[in-house]
DNA sequence: GACAGAATCTTTACATTGTTCAGATCAATC
DNA sequence: GATTGATCTGAACAATGTAAAGATTCTGTC
C-alpha cells in the first residue's frame, strides 16, 4: 500500500472527497467543515493542517469537480467516433449536451465548480479556451474538425468559440437556476447549428 | 408623511434595502442577519416578523436586485431612440452590454439575483422570455424590430431569443467568475451579429 | 380620553459553526 | 531508545441563525 502520511491514509484527499460528496447532496452553502471532518471520524481541527480555512477546502473540492466535469466532457466527445460529417457534427452536440446535463444532474457540483469559490486565473490572452480546462480543448477540436470538413466557414469557426461556449454555459446556468425550462435545450442546439450555418449545404 | 407601521417606518423594506447594500459590498455569503439588523439599530429577532428565515430575506433582496437590473436594461434600451436600422441594431448591442456591465459592476448583486436564492418559477411554456422579467421583454422587442426592418430573417428572429439570451448570460457569468476575460465581449457581440446574419446585406 | 388587543420590537437563551491554540500521539531518524 | 517533526485531539472562543417569552408601542372602540 502507499505511504501513510496520517493515521487513516491521506487526509487532504479524504477531506476533499468527503466534501465533494456532501456538496453533491446538500450544496456548498450548507456544507460544514465540522460535518465533513465528522464523516471521516476526525477532529475538526485536523483539516486546518491541510487547508488554511473552509474556503480553501471548498476551493480544492471545486477543483476536483472541475476534473470530474472534464472527464464527463471527454467521455461525451469520445462517445462518437469517426471523421465523417455526421460524427463531427454529433460531437459538437454531444459536448453541449454533456455540459448541460452535468449542470442538471449535479447542480450543486456545477455551482461549486463554476461559482465564486473557484476563480480560474485568466491568462494573458483575452480568451484561451485551453486554459479553461479540458472542455475548452474539446470544443476547439470539434470546431476545427467542422471547419476542416467544410461544414462551417472559417468565419463561423472563428466566432464559434465564444458563441458556443457562452451560449451553452449560459443555458446550463439558466436551467440550473430555474430561469428557463430544460425543454429549451433543443432550441438552443438548433440555434447554434443555424448560427454556424450548419444547415446541410455542404456534403 | 406615510403611515408608520413600526417605529422606524417600514422595517421589511428597510431590511431589504440594508441587505441589498451589504450584499453589494461583501457578497451574499458573508451577509449576516444580525449585521443588517444592527445597521438599522434593530434587534436581530425583529427581522423574523417579516421573513421566516435569513434565506427569505436574501430571496426578497434578490427580487429587489432583479428590479434594479430590469431598470438598468430599460435605461439601456431607451438610451437609443429612433426606428432606423442603426438605432435598432444599436439597441440589441446596448442590451447585451448593459447585461454584461451589470454583472461586472455589481458582481455580488448579479450573483444573488441569478443565483440559487431567487428561483423564478417557470411558466407552462418551455420558454417565455416575458416571464424572465423586463429584460426578456426588451430583447423580444429588439429582435422584433430587427426582423421588421428586414435586418434579420424570420428564422434568425426565431433562433435569436435563445441564442442571445443564453450567450449574453453565459458570457456575463463567465466573466463574473473569472473564466474568461472581459476583452472577449466585443468578440461575442460580433459573433451574435454574425449568427443573426446582420452583416449589412440589407439596407 | 381610556382601555383592550394587536402589532411591533427587545431580551435572553441555545445550538451550531469557523477558528485557534496548547498539548497528545504517532512515525521515523540519529 | 531518545529526539524530532508531522499529525491529530481537546478544549475554548466569538459569531451566527433562530426560538420563546416578555416589553413596548400603536390602533381602534366605547
Amino acid at each position: 500500500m502507499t505511504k501513510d502520511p496520517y493515521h487513516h491514509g491521506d487526509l487532504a484527499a479524504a477531506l476533499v472527497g468527503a466534501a465533494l460528496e456532501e456538496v453533491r447532496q446538500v450544496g456548498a452553502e450548507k456544507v460544514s467543515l465540522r460535518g465533513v471532518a465528522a464523516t471521516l471520524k476526525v477532529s475538526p481541527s485536523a483539516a486546518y493542517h491541510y487547508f488554511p480555512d473552509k474556503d480553501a477546502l471548498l476551493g480544492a473540492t471545486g477543483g476536483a469537480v472541475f476534473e470530474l466535469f472534464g472527464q464527463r466532457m471527454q467521455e461525451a466527445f469520445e462517445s462518437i467516433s469517426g471523421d465523417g460529417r455526421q460524427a463531427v457534427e454529433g460531437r459538437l452536440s454531444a459536448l453541449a449536451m454533456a455540459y448541460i446535463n452535468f449542470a442538471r444532474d449535479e447542480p450543486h457540483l456545477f455551482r461549486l465548480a463554476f461559482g465564486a469559490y473557484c476563480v480560474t486565473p485568466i491568462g494573458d490572452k483575452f480568451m484561451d479556451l485551453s486554459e479553461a480546462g479540458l472542455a475548452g480543448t474539446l470544443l476547439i477540436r470539434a470546431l476545427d474538425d467542422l471547419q476542416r470538413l467544410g461544414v462551417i466557414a472559417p468565419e463561423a469557426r472563428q466566432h464559434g468559440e465564444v458563441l458556443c461556449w457562452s451560449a451553452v454555459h449560459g443555458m446550463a446556468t439558466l436551467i440550473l437556476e430555474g430561469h428557463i425550462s430544460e425543454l429549451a435545450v433543443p432550441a438552443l442546439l438548433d440555434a447554434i447549428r443555424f448560427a454556424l450555418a450548419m444547415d446541410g449545404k455542404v456534403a
Side-chain angles (χ1 to χ4, degrees), chain A:
Chain A
M1 91 186 64
T2 59
K3 59 178 178 177
D4 252 46
Y6 100 110
H7 307 174
H8 309 70
D10 184 352
L11 185 54
L15 283 169
V16 169
L20 194 148
E21 191 52 34
E22 275 226 39
V23 169
R24 188 206 311 268
Q25 289 173 9
V26 302
E29 323 84 26
K30 308 208 167 184
V31 163
S32 76
L33 214 174
R34 295 176 104 107
V36 310
T39 64
L40 297 177
K41 301 191 175 181
V42 152
S43 138
S45 317
Y48 286 84
H49 281 259
Y50 300 95
F51 305 99
D53 55 6
K54 183 191 175 185
D55 277 13
L57 171 59
L58 285 178
T61 307
V65 173
F66 222 84
E67 287 188 18
L68 185 68
F69 175 74
Q71 289 174 20
R72 296 282 174 85
M73 296 296 284
Q74 190 159 22
E75 290 167 15
F77 189 89
E78 294 172 348
S79 72
I80 299 180
S81 58
D83 279 338
R85 173 184 176 135
Q86 201 176 359
V88 169
E89 282 194 30
R91 259 188 307 261
L92 187 65
S93 297
L95 280 180
M97 287 302 301
Y99 203 112
I100 295 172
N101 283 341
F102 187 85
R104 184 201 53 196
D105 295 340
E106 303 288 2
H108 296 305
L109 296 186
F110 186 89
R111 258 191 285 259
L112 176 63
F114 286 99
Y117 278 114
C118 311
V119 201
T120 312
I122 305 177
D124 49 343
K125 298 179 209 127
F126 85 100
M127 186 189 69
D128 188 350
L129 276 183
S130 62
E131 290 183 5
L134 194 47
T137 320
L138 296 175
L139 173 58
I140 288 180
R141 282 171 58 187
L143 287 173
D144 281 344
D145 286 348
L146 282 170
Q147 182 184 355
R148 191 175 318 119
L149 284 187
V151 178
I152 63 174
E155 203 181 357
R157 160 69 187 81
Q158 184 189 348
H159 288 128
E161 289 191 16
V162 239
L163 201 61
C164 292
W165 193 15
S166 297
V168 170
H169 183 80
M171 167 137 299
T173 63
L174 284 172
I175 291 177
L176 189 66
E177 309 303 353
H179 292 101
I180 197 176
S181 160
E182 204 177 330
L183 299 173
V185 173
L188 178 69
L189 295 186
D190 276 354
I192 288 178
R193 293 174 54 88
F194 172 78
L196 300 181
M198 298 164 57
D199 22 34
K201 281 176 300 202
V202 182

